[in-house]
Amino acid sequence: MNQATESDTKTKILDAAERLFAGQGLGVTSLRQITAEAGVNLAAVNYHFRSKEELAGAVLERRLRPVNQKRLEMLDALEAQPHKGALPLEPLLEAFFRPALELNRDREHSFQPLIGRIYGEPGAVRKLFFEMMSEVSVRFSNALVQALPDLPRDELVWRLHFAVGALAHTMAAGEMLEKLSDGLCDLGDVEGATRRIVEFTSAGLRAGEGKRGGVR
Amino acid sequence: MNQATESDTKTKILDAAERLFAGQGLGVTSLRQITAEAGVNLAAVNYHFRSKEELAGAVLERRLRPVNQKRLEMLDALEAQPHKGALPLEPLLEAFFRPALELNRDREHSFQPLIGRIYGEPGAVRKLFFEMMSEVSVRFSNALVQALPDLPRDELVWRLHFAVGALAHTMAAGEMLEKLSDGLCDLGDVEGATRRIVEFTSAGLRAGEGKRGGVR
DNA sequence: CAATATTTCAAACGTATGATTAAAACAAAC
DNA sequence: GTTTGTTTTAATCATACGTTTGAAATATTG
């Protein structure tokens, strides 16, 4: 196995595919476009990855894997801290959102739309996505129940869904946000984006807290 | 122009296309699949609609147009009511969310994923989507500024973005919500869904209201 | 340097696609 | 009942796709 050459071609393909998938969608992007953009031969995709679909999976995995790893690390650290009774909500949300929003830095808007598009795409890529999300999903769901012990189960599921939607939309349509706000909103400002989505979703998750018989 | 026959074929195509687009995505759905599902001849699509892309536009328009009309009607009614100073937030949000969530009733989960997929799709369909959303977008943005006069402009844009994300995700991935909650959450319950998303997003939009110099 | 494994390349494969055509079937109007 | 306009049909078009191939090039190893 050659490191320099293979990695070079492989990486060039991954980069080009990521850019094109994100920019115009998985289905309409052809291998010919990808290899042309990457400056490699057409057959290289089927040589290094076995098929177009596995390439798409590799593109996804390269970015999402480290994000989920970071999420779990932050959750571990949070749970290791001594907390009286309920887990603190805001740090929990931050552990979920921040690693994802970090993708918006450095990489000039190449990856984010991709992960937003995955929801829509059918087949093996979608399956891989849910596989990669399963551990994070379970761990954070359980933690959220501990953070909001007085919230009825069905309300919590709904609200978690809304919170995930806020993130998904920021990943998928973040470019639109910057356009519509005339540059007022900057996706690259990870601190600002994280603070704002945590503020928004924590308030949403806590809505009506006073009315219930909660701890308050 | 024949009503019965043309409308019949046209509608059959629209129904089949909607179902397939929503189920598996625009790009991967072929005209042959659509016409087979609709039980009409292949050439019928290019006869009644001019191209596949215009068909996709028609599919979108058929559902989104009435939704936006209803939204504006509800906003008109709301603005007509006497309101001292600021517009009431919850009814404003309800006017935006409810007409969209109404799509989830009756139609057995056929349309919702489609509108979620539109974000991802490139080209003329996406353009048409934004055209159809422009009036709603402007009117509701302005109304929201009136409803939250003390919220800084950039915070408002961010939070509006999150709120739209909550809806978009519910439209796009609502099926997932029902699966993950073991039937605990029912998309067809428009009242419940509307109440919950209004509660969540209004709390999110109002986050930290006490800390600012607002009316409170 | 020779032998071997890995990677690149141009060319071609079969298949499926969106679109078009001209004739047939059908309905409407007179 | 014939004419006129509309809709449906089957067949075909050129094109683009993902994948495969076998030979050339390149790197790795002994």
Side-chain angles (χ1 to χ4, degrees):
Chain A
M1 191 188 274
N2 177 344
Q3 307 112 294
T5 329
E6 168 191 294
S7 289
D8 213 44
T9 301
K10 253 178 138 165
T11 304
K12 278 196 282 186
I13 292 174
L14 283 171
D15 289 341
E18 179 174 292
R19 195 162 35 239
L20 287 166
F21 285 162
Q24 52 181 266
L26 262 123
V28 290
T29 303
S30 71
L31 293 185
R32 285 166 174 84
Q33 272 184 281
I34 294 169
T35 51
E37 173 107 357
V40 303
N41 188 272
L42 168 61
V45 169
N46 289 320
Y47 176 76
H48 288 285
F49 312 86
R50 293 168 43 90
S51 65
K52 183 189 180 181
E53 194 154 48
E54 287 195 44
L55 166 62
V59 169
L60 175 66
E61 195 156 3
R62 179 171 66 147
R63 300 295 179 215
L64 188 53
R65 185 80 68 193
V67 167
N68 281 343
Q69 192 178 319
K70 187 80 189 296
R71 281 169 162 166
L72 292 174
E73 280 170 18
M74 291 179 73
L75 180 57
D76 286 339
L78 186 64
E79 289 179 331
Q81 278 178 24
H83 48 275
K84 35 182 173 84
L87 270 172
L89 179 61
E90 278 81 1
L92 177 61
L93 292 174
E94 183 173 339
F96 183 76
F97 290 131
R98 180 185 291 275
L101 294 172
E102 299 258 2
L103 288 175
N104 295 359
R105 188 166 43 203
D106 302 333
R107 257 170 285 292
E108 72 287 324
H109 308 271
S110 35
F111 177 66
Q112 320 97 293
L114 195 259
I115 196 170
R117 280 188 218 286
I118 292 297
Y119 283 108
E121 294 294 329
V125 184
R126 189 185 167 92
K127 205 173 147 245
L128 176 64
F129 174 77
F130 285 111
E131 273 174 30
M132 276 194 285
M133 292 301 294
S134 69
E135 189 184 353
V136 165
S137 187
V138 169
R139 293 272 321 266
F140 275 86
S141 287
N142 291 337
L144 199 62
V145 172
Q146 286 186 266
L148 296 165
D150 297 317
L151 192 63
R153 187 61 188 226
D154 58 335
E155 292 290 339
L156 189 139
V157 177
W158 272 101
R159 292 179 182 187
L160 176 57
H161 187 78
F162 296 145
V164 169
L167 176 65
H169 193 240
T170 301
M171 305 297 283
E175 217 169 345
M176 193 172 68
L177 169 68
E178 293 190 321
K179 294 259 172 60
L180 290 186
S181 70
D182 296 318
L184 210 80
C185 303
D186 173 22
L187 266 252
D189 171 20
V190 181
E191 292 308 316
T194 303
R195 176 182 62 74
R196 286 176 168 107
I197 198 170
V198 168
E199 276 178 16
F200 182 89
T201 56
S202 62
L205 283 161
R206 286 205 174 103
E209 207 173 45
K211 294 182 199 145
R212 263 177 292 274
V215 186
R216 220 266 119 101
Chain B
M1 189 188 275
N2 178 342
Q3 306 113 294
T5 329
E6 169 191 296
S7 290
D8 213 43
T9 300
K10 252 178 139 165
T11 304
K12 279 195 282 186
I13 293 174
L14 282 171
D15 289 341
E18 179 175 291
R19 193 162 34 239
L20 288 166
F21 285 162
Q24 53 180 270
L26 263 122
V28 289
T29 302
S30 71
L31 292 185
R32 284 167 175 81
Q33 272 184 280
I34 294 170
T35 52
E37 173 109 357
V40 303
N41 190 273
L42 167 62
V45 169
N46 289 41
Y47 176 76
H48 288 286
F49 312 87
R50 292 169 42 90
S51 67
K52 184 189 180 181
E53 194 155 47
E54 287 194 43
L55 166 62
V59 168
L60 175 67
E61 195 156 1
R62 179 171 66 147
R63 300 294 180 217
L64 189 53
R65 184 80 67 193
V67 167
N68 282 344
Q69 192 178 320
K70 187 78 188 297
R71 281 170 163 165
L72 293 175
E73 280 171 17
M74 291 179 73
L75 180 57
D76 286 338
L78 186 64
E79 290 179 331
Q81 279 177 24
H83 49 276
K84 35 180 174 87
L87 270 172
L89 179 60
E90 279 80 359
L92 177 59
L93 293 174
E94 182 174 338
F96 183 76
F97 290 131
R98 179 185 290 276
L101 294 173
E102 299 259 0
L103 287 175
N104 295 359
R105 191 166 38 204
D106 303 333
R107 256 170 286 290
E108 72 289 322
H109 308 269
S110 35
F111 177 65
Q112 318 97 295
L114 195 259
I115 197 171
R117 280 189 218 284
I118 293 298
Y119 283 108
E121 294 295 330
V125 184
R126 189 185 168 93
K127 208 173 143 243
L128 176 65
F129 174 77
F130 285 111
E131 274 174 30
M132 277 195 284
M133 292 301 296
S134 71
E135 188 184 355
V136 165
S137 186
V138 170
R139 291 273 319 269
F140 275 85
S141 287
N142 290 339
L144 199 62
V145 172
Q146 287 186 268
L148 296 165
D150 298 318
L151 192 63
R153 187 59 188 226
D154 58 336
E155 292 290 341
L156 189 139
V157 176
W158 272 100
R159 292 181 181 186
L160 176 57
H161 187 77
F162 296 145
V164 169
L167 176 65
H169 193 240
T170 300
M171 305 296 282
E175 219 169 343
M176 193 171 69
L177 168 67
E178 295 190 323
K179 293 260 171 60
L180 289 185
S181 69
D182 296 317
L184 210 81
C185 303
D186 173 23
L187 267 248
D189 172 19
V190 181
E191 291 308 317
T194 304
R195 175 182 62 74
R196 288 176 167 107
I197 199 170
V198 168
E199 276 178 17
F200 182 88
T201 56
S202 63
L205 283 161
R206 285 205 175 102
E209 207 173 44
K211 294 179 198 151
R212 263 178 290 273
V215 185
R216 224 271 102 128

